[in-house]
Amino acid sequence: MFLNPRLKSHDLLFYDALEKRSELTKQENRRHAATLKGFEGECLYDEIFNDVGHGDVLVYRDLYIKIGESVTQYDALVIDDEGIAVNEIKNYTGDYKVEGGDWYRAGRRISEDPVAQLNRAVGKLIGLRNAANSSFRVSGKLIFPSDDFYLHTDDNSLWSKIVVRSDLRRYFRQFRGGKIGNKSQFIVRLLSEHIAENPYFKSDVDETRLRKGVYCEQCSSYNLLKTRFHFTCTECQSKMTNETLLLRALSDYKYLFYGKPMTRVSFMNFIGHSLTFKVVYRILLKHCYVDRKGKKTTYTFKYRNFEEAISKAELYFKYKDHLKG
Ligand SMILES: [Zn+2]
């Protein structure tokens, strides 16, 4: 049973927004591609686990756990009365070689050390368990969900830490018949008391490089024609409500200027004044927390991102979008 949804990481949301509003540098392009690939690997893991079934275990996905002063990220934690299995998901593709503990791709040493990462992640949870005077088991596996991943190694002990695509279903099936009882509940409670926000994400974009305005949900074009309640894209003819486009802009703003206060003026600049103060104000009041302390009134987007905003049931679109294609 999945306990929480799989969400795009802050980094991925940042690069998605940045890509829509500026020309990415080579390095940004690489990072965007890498974060997207990682997310796709996690989704593939979820899909296969869904297919095999996870009714006999509890699964936390993409969690930050604060233990002592440090925060560790977990791709997946599989819990039953036996304990926790840490699954570190690596969406590697191509030929890899491990020699003397070092990892190489196409003959070149890579910057990551997956085994060390896994050991650290497992070690943190062992610390948490010991501090709670409990006795459940903590184990870990590196999961390689791509069927285009090949590993060569002379270190046979490595295979016990690894699950490749061809073994993934079998690995998931091992969790069948697991018991979810008091111990599992205890573990979930213990973890939930230590869940933290991603403390590492920061964004500081040079505002001048950003394209101001609102853009088409379907084809990302900025060439939109304004009518009273809608914008129509002149490239693909999609018709979108003011609200949809402003929610997208609010979501972009959140990740491009993460943690920085947003004022009505700064948001109006961000959207290139494509709507009137009055219309924007109404949307800000509806979808943001308002902080009237101090000289300036600031607004904080209520939702994690655009996708969450439009999926909220209470959201009522009077004038619907018509996306083409
Ligand atoms: Zn369009």
Side-chain angles (χ1 to χ4, degrees):
M1 196 190 314
F2 287 151
L3 294 173
N4 60 339
R6 172 80 63 195
L7 302 168
K8 285 184 175 180
S9 68
H10 286 37
D11 288 287
L12 185 50
L13 290 167
F14 167 77
Y15 285 117
D16 281 353
L18 190 62
E19 188 192 38
K20 291 281 165 50
R21 292 185 176 271
S22 71
E23 201 70 50
L24 296 189
T25 65
K26 266 191 187 156
Q27 194 191 35
E28 287 166 347
N29 250 321
R30 268 201 305 273
R31 286 193 189 150
H32 188 203
T35 47
L36 182 61
K37 190 175 175 186
F39 180 66
E40 285 168 352
E42 291 165 11
C43 292
L44 187 56
Y45 168 96
D46 293 345
E47 204 182 298
I48 298 167
F49 211 167
N50 261 333
D51 205 37
V52 172
H54 40 74
D56 296 338
V57 285
L58 301 171
V59 186
Y60 264 129
R61 297 179 288 178
D62 196 25
L63 220 54
Y64 287 84
I65 301 279
K66 186 168 187 197
I67 303 165
E69 282 313 299
S70 74
V71 177
T72 309
Q73 190 265 341
Y74 293 91
D75 294 334
L77 297 173
V78 186
I79 300 154
D80 63 16
D81 279 4
E82 293 282 305
I84 308 175
V86 177
N87 283 179
E88 179 77 28
I89 304 164
K90 295 287 176 199
N91 196 14
Y92 289 2
T93 52
D95 279 293
Y96 282 76
K97 193 169 80 176
V98 182
E99 222 172 54
D102 297 330
W103 288 62
Y104 299 84
R105 181 175 192 267
R108 225 173 129 188
R109 179 134 180 230
I110 63 168
S111 59
E112 281 192 317
D113 185 339
V115 175
Q117 260 180 42
L118 178 69
N119 288 342
R120 203 162 42 238
V122 168
K124 290 285 177 190
L125 290 183
I126 290 174
L128 183 68
R129 177 199 68 191
N130 292 350
N133 272 324
S134 192
S135 61
F136 55 84
R137 191 193 62 203
V138 183
S139 61
K141 293 278 189 198
L142 288 169
I143 311 280
F144 297 92
S146 171
D147 56 11
D148 187 29
F149 169 74
Y150 307 94
L151 182 69
H152 312 272
T153 181
D154 48 9
D155 175 6
N156 280 329
S157 71
L158 193 59
W159 295 108
S160 66
K161 301 186 180 97
I162 282 176
V163 181
V164 293
R165 174 61 179 268
S166 55
D167 289 328
L168 193 48
R169 284 171 182 278
R170 190 167 23 207
Y171 173 67
F172 285 147
R173 277 198 292 268
Q174 287 171 11
F175 293 113
R176 281 186 186 161
K179 199 164 159 273
I180 308 174
N182 289 341
K183 197 66 154 200
S184 305
Q185 301 300 336
F186 172 81
I187 294 169
V188 167
R189 202 165 51 241
L190 182 64
L191 290 171
S192 66
E193 283 165 3
H194 290 80
I195 292 175
E197 277 288 303
N198 175 356
Y200 306 110
F201 179 74
K202 293 196 174 54
S203 65
D204 194 13
V205 176
D206 172 10
E207 218 177 310
T208 57
R209 66 180 283 206
L210 297 179
R211 179 142 189 200
K212 310 294 190 293
V214 289
Y215 56 84
C216 174
E217 267 307 305
Q218 187 66 29
C219 75
S220 308
S221 166
Y222 282 75
N223 298 325
L224 307 178
L225 280 178
K226 176 87 195 79
T227 51
R228 190 167 173 211
F229 298 109
H230 289 96
F231 283 89
T232 303
C233 176
T234 59
E235 305 291 331
C236 76
Q237 315 319 319
S238 289
K239 197 171 155 190
M240 293 143 289
T241 64
N242 297 341
E243 194 164 14
T244 298
L245 296 183
L246 289 178
L247 284 172
R248 173 62 73 186
L250 283 166
S251 182
D252 284 358
Y253 194 105
K254 174 177 173 175
Y255 287 94
L256 293 170
F257 304 104
Y258 197 75
K260 295 189 184 113
M262 182 181 80
T263 63
R264 188 156 62 137
V265 171
S266 68
F267 186 65
M268 285 301 287
N269 288 333
F270 186 67
I271 60 164
H273 297 266
S274 43
L275 284 153
T276 64
F277 252 133
K278 207 177 133 194
V279 172
V280 171
Y281 188 51
R282 192 176 55 77
I283 299 285
L284 289 179
L285 290 183
K286 187 172 168 189
H287 298 297
C288 295
Y289 298 113
V290 184
D291 184 357
R292 291 200 169 83
K293 267 183 273 157
K295 276 185 193 159
K296 277 182 192 164
T297 300
T298 59
Y299 301 85
T300 309
F301 195 36
K302 277 183 190 171
Y303 317 100
R304 182 183 160 87
N305 62 351
F306 174 78
E307 280 72 19
E308 189 189 281
I310 55 164
S311 73
K312 288 282 172 188
E314 75 258 29
L315 202 64
Y316 173 57
F317 285 101
K318 218 194 283 180
Y319 307 97
K320 280 205 159 150
D321 306 329
H322 302 279
L323 302 185
K324 306 273 178 181

